[in-house]
Amino acid sequence: MLQLLSLTLAYDNTRFFGSVMFTDPDRPDDKPATVLIDHADEQPWFRLTNVDPDGQDPSVPAMVEADRIMRFLLRYTPERISRTPADFPQP
């Protein structure tokens, strides 16, 4: 189970970038899992890159959590990247 350690996002009127870091409470001495966030011009409107080259699979826990966080943020603040709520349909 991961725990959010840090979330940093920078926006301008149409783009954003940032990172999200997670720690594993069961392994406190491990390096934090870090996922980079970048704007994309097509759905889901963001791109995630794990700084761990072996962690690029979308099913890696840090990638899953970063995806969930970004979908939540963009669903409730789509105007921050010149989008509308229709661009983020609810499941």
Side-chain angles (χ1 to χ4, degrees):
M1 178 172 157
L2 297 178
Q3 190 172 41
L4 181 64
L5 181 64
S6 171
L7 171 64
T8 304
L9 286 175
Y11 291 90
D12 64 16
N13 290 335
T14 58
R15 302 183 63 78
F16 60 90
F17 64 94
S19 67
V20 62
M21 295 175 72
F22 301 97
T23 186
D24 186 343
D26 296 331
R27 296 179 171 163
D29 295 331
D30 285 359
K31 290 172 67 174
T34 304
V35 177
L36 304 177
I37 303 162
D38 192 19
H39 176 84
D41 291 325
E42 55 193 40
Q43 289 185 346
W45 311 112
F46 61 90
R47 182 175 36 255
L48 300 175
T49 307
N50 197 326
V51 297
D52 176 2
D54 297 327
Q56 300 306 321
D57 184 339
S59 66
V60 170
M63 296 289 276
V64 170
E65 283 302 303
D67 183 82
R68 187 181 66 76
I69 289 169
M70 285 307 298
R71 288 178 188 273
F72 175 83
L73 289 173
L74 295 178
R75 181 180 304 145
Y76 291 103
T77 60
E79 67 282 352
R80 296 292 305 264
I81 60 165
S82 300
R83 298 286 169 219
T84 67
D87 290 318
F88 302 97
Q90 302 266 345

